[in-house]
Amino acid sequence: MTKDVITLTPNMPDALSVLAGLLSGGPDKLVGTTGDDAVVQLCDTEGRPLVSVEAPMLVQVAGEAERLLGATAPPVPFWWTEIRATTGVEEAERLAGTFAARLISLAGGSAWPPEAATSLAVVKTDGVSVAPTPAAAQPAVDALTDKVAVIIQDRPVVSMTAWLADAYRAAADAELGLQIVTSSDVLLSPAVRNSLSGWPSRWVVQDEREGYYDGLSGAVLAWQNGLFATVESAEATAHDPHTRVAASYQEFADTGERQLAISYRTVHPADDRLVLGGALESVWREITGEPPAGWGTAEPANLPWSLRQLTDLAHDRAPEPTWLVVVGSPARPGLATVRISRTTAGVEEDVTLAFGYGPDEEPPLDALPRTAEILATRHHLQSMLLQLRKARRDLAVPPRFEGPGVPLAFVLGAEEVRQLPGDRARRTPLSDTPIQLGPKTRPALYYPLPGDPSDLSGWQDFERLMRHLKGA
């Protein structure tokens, strides 16, 4: 598999540091570039990459190295440099470690994993060859079939790095699924989980008892016809697939940790004066008392929170959509993924957000109606769903069952309320009357969902509400 080595340095790796790293395989090693020269590669005699080194990234957000690597980084700002060794080549792994060791010796700092960067000696790679293209053409991809791109990861947390984001886009452009293979002790960032929702993309977890299973559903998997697919049970029928669920996936322990999950969409009129991200900042302030800490187009989130910079980026990329990750401070774990797109309705912001709470912490549920009203009256809210989940405080996704969230409330924006015929939006099958948000002449509506947190009745109420609002 590909082996990642990451350096965390207080000083930017300069040309001398990079040159010293490039000499890790000796002076006659081929050097190439890719990704508009943003990635430097040490190659075999055929020009195929042994090691790929991404341009250093300046991280100005505290806590990202701890969140994603479990590593202690220099004080912010620091430089994050990704080094990847190509699949199954022992010499390439040593080459990546030596590159990192030489970088650290000149720029200071540390490496993850620390045991990888222990030698400064030249690595002998004479006669070493790697997999042919097309797999080697994409540094993050370990195997490529006509159905999926497979990536094997060995990090503590699989995050939406620039490498992975590039592989995801390349797979989508080629109409392929993306399958990420990890060991059972690896976690997913929510940013990655939210991107693996469409079949045949999935998280494949290695398991001693079952071989492989889906880390998000628990379904037992096997490599079949060029991809990891579910194993059919002997009792399966056309109407009941009877998918086997791995025992490891069902080993759930309730720690008392919870997540407050918020998903919403805003639709702004297209205007040159439009400032994006204001709705997300408002939610963050209402729930935590402070704005987001940082944002970026990949993980780690490397930029301090800035509405102006975020808006400028989205404007420059238009009419193409913009995907962002936003994080909070280490004291209150929070993470959002944001998709900004230009549509016929205007400029849409689709946001999926979660905050983590320990067993002795109470989510501020009383702040939710006020939060919804701010979005409805100031930020062109279209719709919003609020949930409470039994899940990890640090927001990382384990390959274990955590259960669905319990719906707390649904919010319908003022324009959507106005478009529904008659008084359908105000007269619902729920026992609680919707709460009006904003002016009485043009209100948004907040629908409390009185589901029992111990079962799924909240979802039944939500489904009844959705059928009613759609006129079904």
Side-chain angles (χ1 to χ4, degrees):
M1 69 174 112
T2 49
K3 289 288 186 179
D4 299 350
V5 182
I6 299 166
T7 62
L8 310 170
T9 60
N11 303 307
M12 179 180 179
D14 57 16
L16 178 61
S17 303
V18 175
L19 178 60
L22 293 175
L23 292 172
S24 299
D28 57 347
K29 189 56 57 188
L30 295 178
V31 176
T33 62
T34 186
D36 295 327
D37 297 334
V39 177
V40 178
Q41 297 175 321
L42 288 174
C43 304
D44 66 8
T45 56
E46 300 297 324
R48 296 174 301 210
L50 287 164
V51 169
S52 300
V53 183
E54 192 167 87
M57 175 193 299
L58 181 62
V59 177
Q60 304 175 67
V61 181
E64 285 296 87
E66 291 80 358
R67 178 175 74 90
L68 299 175
L69 301 176
T72 301
V76 293
F78 63 89
W79 293 88
W80 178 302
T81 305
E82 299 246 356
I83 307 159
R84 291 182 65 84
T86 297
T87 305
V89 182
E90 184 179 348
E91 292 82 359
E93 296 177 15
R94 294 205 301 269
L95 199 60
T98 299
F99 191 109
R102 292 186 174 196
L103 216 60
I104 293 168
S105 69
L106 295 173
S110 60
W112 178 92
E115 65 273 12
T118 56
S119 174
L120 300 173
V122 171
V123 178
K124 294 182 179 180
T125 57
D126 295 340
V128 173
S129 184
V130 299
T133 54
Q138 170 53 258
V141 174
D142 292 291
L144 196 63
T145 74
D146 60 349
K147 297 182 178 69
V148 295
V150 179
I151 295 176
I152 306 174
Q153 286 274 276
D154 61 345
R155 301 181 182 220
V157 178
V158 178
S159 55
M160 188 57 80
T161 62
W163 298 103
L164 188 56
D166 287 345
Y168 183 84
R169 284 190 291 268
D173 290 343
E175 298 183 348
L176 300 174
L178 186 70
Q179 299 193 334
I180 300 173
V181 182
T182 74
S183 60
S184 59
D185 58 349
V186 169
L187 306 170
L188 282 194
S189 162
V192 177
R193 176 192 58 194
N194 296 342
S195 300
L196 293 177
S197 57
W199 185 90
S201 297
R202 63 170 81 242
W203 177 20
V204 182
V205 179
Q206 295 175 312
D207 182 64
E208 292 183 356
R209 287 176 284 186
E210 306 287 357
Y212 299 95
Y213 68 90
D214 189 306
L216 300 180
S217 70
V220 176
L221 305 173
W223 183 258
Q224 308 171 58
N225 301 318
L227 79 166
F228 284 98
T230 54
V231 176
E232 290 189 4
S233 170
E235 295 81 19
T237 66
H239 300 290
D240 181 9
H242 203 75
T243 303
R244 288 170 48 202
V245 177
S248 298
Y249 179 79
Q250 302 177 64
E251 294 172 351
F252 169 73
D254 186 357
T255 63
E257 296 176 297
R258 290 173 290 175
Q259 293 176 12
L260 177 59
I262 302 172
S263 56
Y264 66 87
R265 171 179 291 180
T266 58
V267 183
H268 308 277
D271 189 301
D272 289 340
R273 296 169 296 177
L274 174 63
V275 176
L276 296 167
L280 181 58
E281 180 175 311
S282 295
V283 173
W284 222 289
R285 288 185 182 277
E286 287 297 315
I287 300 300
T288 71
E290 60 185 14
W295 69 287
T297 57
E299 293 180 289
N302 64 314
L303 299 170
W305 180 247
S306 169
L307 296 178
R308 179 185 60 79
Q309 291 181 344
L310 187 155
T311 301
D312 288 346
L313 175 69
H315 184 271
D316 291 344
R317 291 188 173 186
E320 294 299 316
T322 296
W323 182 93
L324 305 170
V325 61
V326 181
V327 299
S329 66
R332 170 57 59 218
L335 188 144
T337 57
V338 183
R339 181 178 173 84
I340 301 170
S341 53
R342 179 69 183 268
T343 69
T344 55
V347 180
E348 298 185 1
E349 290 180 280
D350 284 288
V351 178
T352 301
L353 167 63
F355 297 103
Y357 298 88
D360 56 346
E361 298 173 313
E362 286 297 325
L365 303 185
D366 55 348
L368 298 182
R370 168 64 179 167
T371 302
E373 183 167 31
I374 290 174
L375 264 60
T377 56
R378 304 179 191 175
H379 298 287
H380 303 280
L381 178 69
Q382 184 182 74
S383 61
M384 184 178 193
L385 178 63
L386 306 164
Q387 304 174 61
L388 192 62
R389 300 181 62 228
K390 292 182 178 180
R392 293 171 61 107
R393 182 183 187 272
D394 64 7
L395 307 179
V397 182
R400 304 286 184 272
F401 176 78
E402 286 190 315
V406 175
L408 301 173
F410 176 74
V411 186
L412 197 61
E415 180 62 21
E416 284 61 41
V417 170
R418 186 187 68 83
Q419 291 179 0
L420 289 179
D423 60 353
R424 181 188 299 171
R426 294 171 177 80
R427 301 176 65 87
T428 74
L430 303 180
S431 57
D432 289 342
T433 303
I435 301 170
Q436 292 192 10
L437 306 176
K440 293 182 179 179
T441 56
R442 189 181 170 84
L445 294 179
Y446 182 99
Y447 301 90
L449 295 168
D452 183 348
S454 65
D455 59 33
L456 299 181
S457 61
W459 283 113
Q460 296 170 356
D461 291 329
F462 177 71
E463 290 173 358
R464 289 168 58 208
L465 175 62
M466 291 300 100
R467 288 196 299 268
H468 171 79
L469 293 177
K470 293 177 181 178

